[in-house]
Amino acid sequence: MTDETIQPPRPLEGLRVIDLTRALAGPYATLLLAGLGAEVIKVEDPRGGDLARENSPYVGRDGVVVERQHDDDVSISHLTRARGKYGVSLNLKSPEAAGIFADLVRDADIVVENFSAGVADRLGVGYAAARAVNPRIVYCSLSGFGADAPEGGKAMDVIIQALSGAMYTSGEPGHPPVRFGVPIADMLAPVFSVIGILAAIEQRHRTGVGQHVDVSMLGALTSFVAIENWSAMAAAGMESRTGLTVQRLSPFGVFACADGYVALVAVHEKLAQGLFRAMGQPELGQNPRFSGRDVRVANANDLEARINAWSQTLPTAEVVRLLEAEGVPVAPVRHPEDALVDPRVMARGETMSVAHPTYSSTVDLRTSGVPIKFSGARIGFDEALAIRVGEHNQDVYGRLMGYAPEEIAALTARGAI
Amino acid sequence: MTDETIQPPRPLEGLRVIDLTRALAGPYATLLLAGLGAEVIKVEDPRGGDLARENSPYVGRDGVVVERQHDDDVSISHLTRARGKYGVSLNLKSPEAAGIFADLVRDADIVVENFSAGVADRLGVGYAAARAVNPRIVYCSLSGFGADAPEGGKAMDVIIQALSGAMYTSGEPGHPPVRFGVPIADMLAPVFSVIGILAAIEQRHRTGVGQHVDVSMLGALTSFVAIENWSAMAAAGMESRTGLTVQRLSPFGVFACADGYVALVAVHEKLAQGLFRAMGQPELGQNPRFSGRDVRVANANDLEARINAWSQTLPTAEVVRLLEAEGVPVAPVRHPEDALVDPRVMARGETMSVAHPTYSSTVDLRTSGVPIKFSGARIGFDEALAIRVGEHNQDVYGRLMGYAPEEIAALTARGAI
């Protein structure tokens, strides 16, 4: 027996990522790669680092606070997004930057950046520069409208949500658009970036060379919106924006309880009969207005009113219990705080806790995991987390790249790193 | 010169996928794999096939219709989701199914299924059965709560949305929850499934063996919701559900115009001053209530009211023009029909048209593409599309697997395929 714990490998072990990303979209891509086992080296400007370091709230010796109180308070966004990443500093505008970038890329497999379109090339850290030193490099650009877009503007999540059509898919017909509370545009593009990167790595096994992978936030979100048949539904005279319920599948959607809401689905005959029994009104199953899918759809307003009249009188838990007993798919509408601590989700690592490296917090700072389980591999983040900008300069520039200590000191003194 | 067009390869060429999926979540995963160049063989029950074949609306000789009129009317859902997939029939409950499944899996790289947890094993087409004939197989299960869940219930998108907390991230504080109009739970799990499959394929290059990849719809969506610091925001007394605007970043969010809405972001000083100039009220930049980020946040209600009072008097296009002229990030809130035909998105293949193989339609049936561009590869779907269940039986069972014509005829006659 030994003290060593034999852990399964992670799927992407052996791949090295040079991470030039900032804010949310890019860092979420490299976070997924880190959790899958790639070695991620996050490059930050020595003059302040990733802007997400300034995101409120913070955690530190006084617990969770809205405004930074102490030097060692850390933004919870940073604690979340920098997990498992080695942090080096590099001023991309310094005269030494091109050479240091080339050294970083020479032995890497992947570069990820999310500057505005064209900026990486102008800084000398674009795909052309990376390929020149390493033709095997897979270089991923993540931008608002694509690497080929003329726009130089910043693409924020809410701007992309507005352009994508997503805001007019939720809410009641005729009501204002709805902003998704999850930054869906910032999150989807990186997920597609990871698919693109891994597909290019697979192609590299055949060809021996890398390539440029280019993902647009607008394109990623619009492609999601496009899965519904919007133009066909409009052409067929079907209502596409339908609020809390979908009447063409009635009963389907969200209904009010005395203390909250439930989602339920009873489209098919057997389920509808089960719903009517749970409501204590089994006779509705013989009522010509509700017996059969087509008439339920035709009388959806009446049916929904009857369901709400019943469910509004009962606690959510009771409505769930009664419907589950009849085999009708049902769930309480939960708040994020409750959803994140679902034991199933915690056990599978789909949500995970983060913590300040020094100070404990009474609040469980629960955040995203990597929602994939492998039978022959594990998901997990290295201990690495650059609290300080350039925290792993010695390790990366010294141990990994062979820079001499005096060279690192000189680069630091000149502000290059 | 020849008539041949030299096309770049697709990244996943050479990988074969056996696709046991139905409905939306699973088929979207294999759609992405097909677009990336994998050879996808979709397996359907000869007694009717994928339920999505019955999804309204349909397209055919009478154009787009709500109810099926003719035998050759095709569900637009099917036209969308079956693109580029070869279709074979196989009755998984027939005595011949285990042997035929083994023949399919023997030379495949990937299997994807989205039965309820446990069902694939019970049918004899689970990971254990696949691995027994092909240890290199990467087998992906996509289910509501994970392959290890005791629940046997069906996990519909709206049920998972309710459980994930997503419904309480949108909308105004104190208002009912908001159902996302995009089936986000059905769409996210497959995207993570593709990441898991490609990561397992990468690991296979090192180890020579495949593994089981297990993705939960609840876990995938909850991990997205968890990127926001819900527990920390609650602990710090910050409002987390904030409707159309985010007052802690004011001005940020969606504002009303005379004929629609715009999204705008003017968090930083320079942008705020640009907004005030666009409003024709540059003096607000010197007003102690609005000069400086902290006071704008403190007076967010007043600021938002002033912005709306201005924007409501103008057409959306004019508000966009005025703000763009000042360099303020702004966009019109578009409807899906308009978003899907954005020339940038069409040019990049992020949305694509589908069509009935025989009948043309006056409606542009625009749907999801694969939102990734590669410099050394292309995205694209094979012409294959199984309008009939088992349409490619001869091609797959005959040409690919070497079954004799009389064997295929006998299997068909017995209802096995």
Side-chain angles (χ1 to χ4, degrees):
Chain A
M1 283 184 59
T2 81
D3 281 325
E4 278 178 18
T5 311
I6 308 287
Q7 285 196 303
R10 288 176 295 171
L12 301 188
E13 280 175 13
L15 293 178
R16 182 179 294 170
V17 180
I18 306 303
D19 177 4
L20 304 178
T21 66
R22 307 92 45 84
L24 174 55
Y28 181 61
T30 54
L31 184 75
L32 293 173
L33 293 170
L36 289 162
E39 180 187 41
V40 175
I41 298 173
K42 179 175 174 65
V43 177
E44 291 180 274
D45 192 316
R47 302 160 300 177
D50 194 322
L51 277 176
R53 289 174 174 273
E54 312 303 323
N55 282 8
S56 177
Y58 301 85
V59 62
R61 63 184 72 183
D62 299 335
V64 175
V65 292
V66 175
E67 286 178 47
R68 180 176 270 163
Q69 314 280 333
H70 307 284
D71 271 0
D72 55 359
D73 286 352
V74 179
S75 163
I76 296 167
S77 296
H78 182 68
L79 274 187
T80 295
R81 299 173 196 173
R83 266 178 299 168
K85 303 177 183 177
Y86 298 84
V88 301
S89 55
L90 179 59
N91 177 352
L92 295 177
K93 293 181 176 164
S94 68
E96 298 88 348
I100 298 173
F101 177 69
D103 288 341
L104 284 167
V105 169
R106 196 165 285 116
D107 292 322
D109 299 281
I110 297 157
V111 176
V112 189
E113 60 93 2
N114 69 328
F115 295 105
S116 298
V119 170
D121 278 328
R122 210 175 59 232
L123 289 167
V125 296
Y127 175 51
R131 183 181 50 182
V133 291
N134 181 358
R136 288 176 54 80
I137 203 76
V138 169
Y139 188 107
C140 180
S141 296
L142 208 161
S143 60
F145 305 98
D148 47 358
E151 289 93 333
K154 284 204 195 315
M156 270 78 95
D157 179 82
V158 72
I159 299 289
I160 301 295
Q161 281 198 30
L163 287 171
S164 71
M167 287 187 172
Y168 273 119
T169 66
S170 303
E172 308 290 334
H175 282 218
V178 175
R179 187 181 65 85
F180 282 19
V182 176
I184 187 80
D186 271 340
M187 300 282 286
L188 262 190
V191 175
F192 280 105
S193 294
V194 173
I195 291 177
I197 288 167
L198 294 180
I201 291 283
E202 173 63 13
Q203 188 173 347
R204 190 178 75 169
H205 282 289
R206 301 199 309 276
T207 62
V209 295
Q211 58 183 307
H212 189 206
V213 177
D214 158 20
V215 174
S216 139
M217 290 169 63
L218 179 64
L221 183 52
T222 306
S223 83
F224 251 46
V225 171
I227 199 69
E228 291 280 6
N229 307 313
W230 303 106
S231 53
M233 288 195 289
M238 296 163 79
E239 184 66 69
S240 53
R241 190 183 182 207
T242 70
L244 281 173
T245 64
V246 181
Q247 294 204 336
R248 68 175 184 273
L249 302 170
S250 194
F252 178 110
V254 173
F255 295 85
C257 302
D259 59 348
Y261 293 83
V262 293
L264 69 84
V265 176
V267 180
H268 301 293
E269 200 55 35
K270 204 178 122 198
L271 298 178
Q273 303 285 341
L275 166 66
F276 298 146
R277 284 194 300 274
M279 291 166 66
Q281 303 171 50
E283 67 279 7
L284 290 179
Q286 277 72 54
N287 184 321
R289 292 175 61 77
F290 308 115
S291 170
R293 183 167 167 170
D294 289 348
V295 290
R296 282 193 296 274
V297 170
N299 300 298
N301 278 335
D302 185 2
L303 178 55
E304 291 180 355
R306 288 169 188 252
I307 297 171
N308 272 315
W310 164 71
S311 57
Q312 272 165 353
T313 65
L314 297 171
T316 305
E318 179 67 3
V319 172
V320 170
R321 192 187 65 75
L322 289 167
L323 289 169
E324 280 183 345
E326 295 290 349
V328 177
V330 62
V333 180
R334 298 196 296 201
H335 288 266
E337 300 91 307
D338 301 323
L340 269 52
V341 295
D342 184 313
R344 295 171 291 201
V345 168
M346 292 197 293
R348 290 171 58 90
E350 292 151 345
T351 68
M352 301 173 67
S353 294
V354 291
H356 192 286
T358 309
Y359 307 111
S360 65
S361 159
T362 53
V363 182
D364 177 18
L365 299 173
R366 193 152 278 278
T367 184
S368 311
V370 179
I372 310 169
K373 284 197 78 172
F374 296 88
S375 65
R378 69 186 169 90
I379 290 293
F381 294 95
D382 289 351
E383 284 298 311
L385 178 73
I387 296 297
R388 221 168 20 83
V389 176
E391 184 157 326
H392 302 101
N393 278 357
Q394 289 296 339
D395 194 39
V396 173
Y397 289 133
R399 190 179 61 77
L400 222 57
M401 288 163 58
Y403 288 17
E406 54 272 25
E407 196 176 356
I408 295 175
L411 289 168
T412 307
R414 284 203 295 276
I417 68 173
Chain B
M1 282 185 60
T2 84
D3 280 324
E4 278 178 19
T5 310
I6 307 288
Q7 285 196 303
R10 287 176 296 172
L12 301 187
E13 279 175 13
L15 294 177
R16 182 180 294 170
V17 180
I18 305 304
D19 177 4
L20 304 177
T21 67
R22 306 95 45 84
L24 174 55
Y28 181 60
T30 53
L31 184 74
L32 292 174
L33 292 169
L36 289 161
E39 180 187 41
V40 175
I41 298 173
K42 178 175 174 67
V43 177
E44 291 181 274
D45 193 317
R47 300 161 299 176
D50 195 323
L51 278 175
R53 289 173 174 276
E54 310 304 322
N55 283 7
S56 176
Y58 301 85
V59 63
R61 64 184 74 182
D62 298 336
V64 175
V65 292
V66 175
E67 285 177 47
R68 178 177 272 163
Q69 314 280 334
H70 308 284
D71 272 358
D72 55 358
D73 285 352
V74 179
S75 162
I76 296 166
S77 297
H78 182 68
L79 274 188
T80 295
R81 301 173 195 172
R83 265 178 297 167
K85 303 177 183 178
Y86 297 84
V88 301
S89 56
L90 178 59
N91 177 353
L92 295 178
K93 293 181 174 162
S94 70
E96 297 87 349
I100 297 172
F101 178 68
D103 288 341
L104 284 168
V105 168
R106 196 166 287 117
D107 292 321
D109 299 280
I110 297 158
V111 177
V112 190
E113 61 94 1
N114 69 329
F115 295 106
S116 300
V119 170
D121 278 328
R122 209 175 61 232
L123 289 167
V125 296
Y127 175 52
R131 183 181 50 184
V133 291
N134 181 358
R136 289 176 54 79
I137 202 79
V138 169
Y139 188 105
C140 181
S141 295
L142 208 160
S143 60
F145 305 99
D148 47 357
E151 290 94 330
K154 285 205 197 311
M156 270 77 95
D157 179 82
V158 71
I159 301 287
I160 300 295
Q161 280 198 30
L163 288 171
S164 71
M167 286 187 173
Y168 273 120
T169 65
S170 303
E172 307 290 334
H175 281 217
V178 174
R179 187 181 65 85
F180 283 20
V182 177
I184 187 81
D186 271 340
M187 299 282 286
L188 262 190
V191 175
F192 281 105
S193 294
V194 173
I195 291 178
I197 288 166
L198 294 180
I201 291 283
E202 173 62 14
Q203 187 173 347
R204 190 177 77 168
H205 281 289
R206 299 200 309 276
T207 64
V209 295
Q211 58 183 307
H212 188 205
V213 177
D214 158 19
V215 174
S216 140
M217 289 169 64
L218 179 63
L221 183 52
T222 306
S223 83
F224 250 46
V225 172
I227 200 70
E228 290 280 6
N229 307 310
W230 303 105
S231 53
M233 286 195 289
M238 294 162 81
E239 184 67 69
S240 53
R241 191 182 182 208
T242 70
L244 281 174
T245 63
V246 181
Q247 294 204 334
R248 67 175 184 275
L249 302 170
S250 193
F252 178 110
V254 174
F255 296 85
C257 302
D259 59 348
Y261 294 84
V262 293
L264 68 85
V265 176
V267 180
H268 301 294
E269 199 56 35
K270 203 178 121 199
L271 299 178
Q273 302 287 341
L275 166 65
F276 297 145
R277 282 194 301 273
M279 291 166 67
Q281 304 171 49
E283 66 281 7
L284 290 179
Q286 277 72 55
N287 185 321
R289 292 174 63 75
F290 307 116
S291 170
R293 183 166 167 171
D294 290 348
V295 292
R296 281 193 296 273
V297 170
N299 300 300
N301 280 334
D302 184 1
L303 178 56
E304 291 180 354
R306 288 169 189 252
I307 297 171
N308 272 315
W310 163 70
S311 58
Q312 273 166 353
T313 63
L314 297 171
T316 304
E318 178 68 2
V319 172
V320 169
R321 193 187 64 76
L322 289 168
L323 288 170
E324 280 183 343
E326 295 290 349
V328 178
V330 63
V333 180
R334 298 196 295 202
H335 287 266
E337 299 90 308
D338 301 321
L340 269 52
V341 295
D342 183 314
R344 294 171 291 198
V345 167
M346 292 197 294
R348 291 171 57 90
E350 293 151 345
T351 67
M352 300 173 67
S353 294
V354 292
H356 192 287
T358 310
Y359 307 110
S360 64
S361 158
T362 53
V363 182
D364 176 17
L365 299 173
R366 193 152 278 277
T367 185
S368 311
V370 179
I372 309 170
K373 285 199 78 172
F374 296 87
S375 65
R378 69 186 170 92
I379 291 292
F381 295 94
D382 288 352
E383 283 298 310
L385 176 75
I387 295 297
R388 220 168 19 82
V389 176
E391 184 157 327
H392 302 102
N393 279 356
Q394 289 295 341
D395 193 39
V396 172
Y397 290 133
R399 190 181 58 81
L400 222 56
M401 289 161 58
Y403 287 17
E406 54 272 26
E407 194 175 358
I408 295 175
L411 288 168
T412 307
R414 284 204 295 276
I417 67 174

mmCIF file with all atom_site columns, all heavy atoms in Angstrom, chain A residues 39 393-403:
data_model
loop_
_atom_site.group_PDB
_atom_site.id
_atom_site.type_symbol
_atom_site.label_atom_id
_atom_site.label_alt_id
_atom_site.label_comp_id
_atom_site.label_asym_id
_atom_site.label_entity_id
_atom_site.label_seq_id
_atom_site.pdbx_PDB_ins_code
_atom_site.Cartn_x
_atom_site.Cartn_y
_atom_site.Cartn_z
_atom_site.occupancy
_atom_site.B_iso_or_equiv
_atom_site.pdbx_formal_charge
_atom_site.auth_seq_id
_atom_site.auth_comp_id
_atom_site.auth_asym_id
_atom_site.auth_atom_id
_atom_site.pdbx_PDB_model_num
ATOM 1   N N   . GLU A 1 39  ? -3.277 21.763 -20.410 1.00 0.00 ? 39  GLU A N   1
ATOM 2   C CA  . GLU A 1 39  ? -2.448 22.667 -19.599 1.00 0.00 ? 39  GLU A CA  1
ATOM 3   C C   . GLU A 1 39  ? -2.647 24.075 -20.144 1.00 0.00 ? 39  GLU A C   1
ATOM 4   O O   . GLU A 1 39  ? -2.196 24.373 -21.252 1.00 0.00 ? 39  GLU A O   1
ATOM 5   C CB  . GLU A 1 39  ? -0.989 22.233 -19.710 1.00 0.00 ? 39  GLU A CB  1
ATOM 6   C CG  . GLU A 1 39  ? -0.016 23.079 -18.919 1.00 0.00 ? 39  GLU A CG  1
ATOM 7   C CD  . GLU A 1 39  ? 1.435  22.693 -19.212 1.00 0.00 ? 39  GLU A CD  1
ATOM 8   O OE1 . GLU A 1 39  ? 1.767  22.439 -20.400 1.00 0.00 ? 39  GLU A OE1 1
ATOM 9   O OE2 . GLU A 1 39  ? 2.226  22.634 -18.271 1.00 0.00 ? 39  GLU A OE2 1
ATOM 10  N N   . ASN A 1 393 ? 5.050  33.164 -13.481 1.00 0.00 ? 393 ASN A N   1
ATOM 11  C CA  . ASN A 1 393 ? 6.120  33.541 -14.427 1.00 0.00 ? 393 ASN A CA  1
ATOM 12  C C   . ASN A 1 393 ? 7.365  32.667 -14.262 1.00 0.00 ? 393 ASN A C   1
ATOM 13  O O   . ASN A 1 393 ? 7.948  32.217 -15.246 1.00 0.00 ? 393 ASN A O   1
ATOM 14  C CB  . ASN A 1 393 ? 6.511  35.014 -14.221 1.00 0.00 ? 393 ASN A CB  1
ATOM 15  C CG  . ASN A 1 393 ? 5.556  35.960 -14.937 1.00 0.00 ? 393 ASN A CG  1
ATOM 16  O OD1 . ASN A 1 393 ? 4.639  35.515 -15.635 1.00 0.00 ? 393 ASN A OD1 1
ATOM 17  N ND2 . ASN A 1 393 ? 5.748  37.258 -14.751 1.00 0.00 ? 393 ASN A ND2 1
ATOM 18  N N   . GLN A 1 394 ? 7.789  32.450 -13.010 1.00 0.00 ? 394 GLN A N   1
ATOM 19  C CA  . GLN A 1 394 ? 8.990  31.635 -12.781 1.00 0.00 ? 394 GLN A CA  1
ATOM 20  C C   . GLN A 1 394 ? 8.771  30.230 -13.316 1.00 0.00 ? 394 GLN A C   1
ATOM 21  O O   . GLN A 1 394 ? 9.621  29.668 -13.998 1.00 0.00 ? 394 GLN A O   1
ATOM 22  C CB  . GLN A 1 394 ? 9.317  31.574 -11.268 1.00 0.00 ? 394 GLN A CB  1
ATOM 23  C CG  . GLN A 1 394 ? 9.849  32.862 -10.671 1.00 0.00 ? 394 GLN A CG  1
ATOM 24  C CD  . GLN A 1 394 ? 11.200 33.283 -11.243 1.00 0.00 ? 394 GLN A CD  1
ATOM 25  O OE1 . GLN A 1 394 ? 11.936 32.460 -11.803 1.00 0.00 ? 394 GLN A OE1 1
ATOM 26  N NE2 . GLN A 1 394 ? 11.500 34.574 -11.158 1.00 0.00 ? 394 GLN A NE2 1
ATOM 27  N N   . ASP A 1 395 ? 7.623  29.685 -12.983 1.00 0.00 ? 395 ASP A N   1
ATOM 28  C CA  . ASP A 1 395 ? 7.349  28.307 -13.360 1.00 0.00 ? 395 ASP A CA  1
ATOM 29  C C   . ASP A 1 395 ? 7.304  28.145 -14.880 1.00 0.00 ? 395 ASP A C   1
ATOM 30  O O   . ASP A 1 395 ? 7.881  27.221 -15.447 1.00 0.00 ? 395 ASP A O   1
ATOM 31  C CB  . ASP A 1 395 ? 6.002  27.888 -12.734 1.00 0.00 ? 395 ASP A CB  1
ATOM 32  C CG  . ASP A 1 395 ? 5.805  26.385 -12.779 1.00 0.00 ? 395 ASP A CG  1
ATOM 33  O OD1 . ASP A 1 395 ? 6.784  25.647 -12.557 1.00 0.00 ? 395 ASP A OD1 1
ATOM 34  O OD2 . ASP A 1 395 ? 4.670  25.957 -13.043 1.00 0.00 ? 395 ASP A OD2 1
ATOM 35  N N   . VAL A 1 396 ? 6.596  29.063 -15.546 1.00 0.00 ? 396 VAL A N   1
ATOM 36  C CA  . VAL A 1 396 ? 6.405  28.927 -17.000 1.00 0.00 ? 396 VAL A CA  1
ATOM 37  C C   . VAL A 1 396 ? 7.628  29.433 -17.768 1.00 0.00 ? 396 VAL A C   1
ATOM 38  O O   . VAL A 1 396 ? 8.203  28.705 -18.581 1.00 0.00 ? 396 VAL A O   1
ATOM 39  C CB  . VAL A 1 396 ? 5.127  29.663 -17.445 1.00 0.00 ? 396 VAL A CB  1
ATOM 40  C CG1 . VAL A 1 396 ? 5.015  29.685 -18.967 1.00 0.00 ? 396 VAL A CG1 1
ATOM 41  C CG2 . VAL A 1 396 ? 3.894  28.984 -16.840 1.00 0.00 ? 396 VAL A CG2 1
ATOM 42  N N   . TYR A 1 397 ? 8.036  30.666 -17.516 1.00 0.00 ? 397 TYR A N   1
ATOM 43  C CA  . TYR A 1 397 ? 9.161  31.225 -18.273 1.00 0.00 ? 397 TYR A CA  1
ATOM 44  C C   . TYR A 1 397 ? 10.472 30.554 -17.868 1.00 0.00 ? 397 TYR A C   1
ATOM 45  O O   . TYR A 1 397 ? 11.359 30.355 -18.689 1.00 0.00 ? 397 TYR A O   1
ATOM 46  C CB  . TYR A 1 397 ? 9.266  32.738 -18.057 1.00 0.00 ? 397 TYR A CB  1
ATOM 47  C CG  . TYR A 1 397 ? 8.149  33.516 -18.719 1.00 0.00 ? 397 TYR A CG  1
ATOM 48  C CD1 . TYR A 1 397 ? 7.454  34.513 -18.029 1.00 0.00 ? 397 TYR A CD1 1
ATOM 49  C CD2 . TYR A 1 397 ? 7.797  33.267 -20.043 1.00 0.00 ? 397 TYR A CD2 1
ATOM 50  C CE1 . TYR A 1 397 ? 6.437  35.230 -18.630 1.00 0.00 ? 397 TYR A CE1 1
ATOM 51  C CE2 . TYR A 1 397 ? 6.782  33.983 -20.654 1.00 0.00 ? 397 TYR A CE2 1
ATOM 52  C CZ  . TYR A 1 397 ? 6.102  34.967 -19.945 1.00 0.00 ? 397 TYR A CZ  1
ATOM 53  O OH  . TYR A 1 397 ? 5.089  35.666 -20.552 1.00 0.00 ? 397 TYR A OH  1
ATOM 54  N N   . GLY A 1 398 ? 10.593 30.191 -16.578 1.00 0.00 ? 398 GLY A N   1
ATOM 55  C CA  . GLY A 1 398 ? 11.825 29.566 -16.102 1.00 0.00 ? 398 GLY A CA  1
ATOM 56  C C   . GLY A 1 398 ? 11.846 28.075 -16.388 1.00 0.00 ? 398 GLY A C   1
ATOM 57  O O   . GLY A 1 398 ? 12.515 27.606 -17.304 1.00 0.00 ? 398 GLY A O   1
ATOM 58  N N   . ARG A 1 399 ? 11.045 27.345 -15.634 1.00 0.00 ? 399 ARG A N   1
ATOM 59  C CA  . ARG A 1 399 ? 11.105 25.884 -15.714 1.00 0.00 ? 399 ARG A CA  1
ATOM 60  C C   . ARG A 1 399 ? 10.706 25.366 -17.097 1.00 0.00 ? 399 ARG A C   1
ATOM 61  O O   . ARG A 1 399 ? 11.387 24.532 -17.697 1.00 0.00 ? 399 ARG A O   1
ATOM 62  C CB  . ARG A 1 399 ? 10.155 25.284 -14.651 1.00 0.00 ? 399 ARG A CB  1
ATOM 63  C CG  . ARG A 1 399 ? 10.280 23.776 -14.449 1.00 0.00 ? 399 ARG A CG  1
ATOM 64  C CD  . ARG A 1 399 ? 9.316  23.297 -13.367 1.00 0.00 ? 399 ARG A CD  1
ATOM 65  N NE  . ARG A 1 399 ? 7.909  23.559 -13.691 1.00 0.00 ? 399 ARG A NE  1
ATOM 66  C CZ  . ARG A 1 399 ? 7.171  22.850 -14.548 1.00 0.00 ? 399 ARG A CZ  1
ATOM 67  N NH1 . ARG A 1 399 ? 7.707  21.825 -15.180 1.00 0.00 ? 399 ARG A NH1 1
ATOM 68  N NH2 . ARG A 1 399 ? 5.908  23.159 -14.787 1.00 0.00 ? 399 ARG A NH2 1
ATOM 69  N N   . LEU A 1 400 ? 9.584  25.907 -17.640 1.00 0.00 ? 400 LEU A N   1
ATOM 70  C CA  . LEU A 1 400 ? 9.027  25.333 -18.867 1.00 0.00 ? 400 LEU A CA  1
ATOM 71  C C   . LEU A 1 400 ? 9.783  25.802 -20.114 1.00 0.00 ? 400 LEU A C   1
ATOM 72  O O   . LEU A 1 400 ? 10.027 25.035 -21.035 1.00 0.00 ? 400 LEU A O   1
ATOM 73  C CB  . LEU A 1 400 ? 7.556  25.755 -18.968 1.00 0.00 ? 400 LEU A CB  1
ATOM 74  C CG  . LEU A 1 400 ? 6.544  24.727 -19.422 1.00 0.00 ? 400 LEU A CG  1
ATOM 75  C CD1 . LEU A 1 400 ? 6.546  23.498 -18.558 1.00 0.00 ? 400 LEU A CD1 1
ATOM 76  C CD2 . LEU A 1 400 ? 5.141  25.355 -19.401 1.00 0.00 ? 400 LEU A CD2 1
ATOM 77  N N   . MET A 1 401 ? 10.140 27.102 -20.139 1.00 0.00 ? 401 MET A N   1
ATOM 78  C CA  . MET A 1 401 ? 10.722 27.657 -21.364 1.00 0.00 ? 401 MET A CA  1
ATOM 79  C C   . MET A 1 401 ? 12.221 27.896 -21.240 1.00 0.00 ? 401 MET A C   1
ATOM 80  O O   . MET A 1 401 ? 12.863 28.291 -22.216 1.00 0.00 ? 401 MET A O   1
ATOM 81  C CB  . MET A 1 401 ? 9.973  28.945 -21.724 1.00 0.00 ? 401 MET A CB  1
ATOM 82  C CG  . MET A 1 401 ? 8.561  28.632 -22.239 1.00 0.00 ? 401 MET A CG  1
ATOM 83  S SD  . MET A 1 401 ? 7.502  30.075 -22.204 1.00 0.00 ? 401 MET A SD  1
ATOM 84  C CE  . MET A 1 401 ? 8.443  31.180 -23.236 1.00 0.00 ? 401 MET A CE  1
ATOM 85  N N   . GLY A 1 402 ? 12.777 27.705 -20.063 1.00 0.00 ? 402 GLY A N   1
ATOM 86  C CA  . GLY A 1 402 ? 14.222 27.756 -19.916 1.00 0.00 ? 402 GLY A CA  1
ATOM 87  C C   . GLY A 1 402 ? 14.832 29.146 -19.866 1.00 0.00 ? 402 GLY A C   1
ATOM 88  O O   . GLY A 1 402 ? 16.039 29.306 -20.073 1.00 0.00 ? 402 GLY A O   1
ATOM 89  N N   . TYR A 1 403 ? 14.008 30.181 -19.614 1.00 0.00 ? 403 TYR A N   1
ATOM 90  C CA  . TYR A 1 403 ? 14.576 31.521 -19.446 1.00 0.00 ? 403 TYR A CA  1
ATOM 91  C C   . TYR A 1 403 ? 15.410 31.527 -18.162 1.00 0.00 ? 403 TYR A C   1
ATOM 92  O O   . TYR A 1 403 ? 14.991 30.985 -17.128 1.00 0.00 ? 403 TYR A O   1
ATOM 93  C CB  . TYR A 1 403 ? 13.481 32.576 -19.319 1.00 0.00 ? 403 TYR A CB  1
ATOM 94  C CG  . TYR A 1 403 ? 12.720 32.901 -20.601 1.00 0.00 ? 403 TYR A CG  1
ATOM 95  C CD1 . TYR A 1 403 ? 12.765 32.056 -21.706 1.00 0.00 ? 403 TYR A CD1 1
ATOM 96  C CD2 . TYR A 1 403 ? 11.971 34.067 -20.688 1.00 0.00 ? 403 TYR A CD2 1
ATOM 97  C CE1 . TYR A 1 403 ? 12.059 32.368 -22.865 1.00 0.00 ? 403 TYR A CE1 1
ATOM 98  C CE2 . TYR A 1 403 ? 11.264 34.378 -21.839 1.00 0.00 ? 403 TYR A CE2 1
ATOM 99  C CZ  . TYR A 1 403 ? 11.310 33.523 -22.923 1.00 0.00 ? 403 TYR A CZ  1
ATOM 100 O OH  . TYR A 1 403 ? 10.593 33.841 -24.056 1.00 0.00 ? 403 TYR A OH  1
#
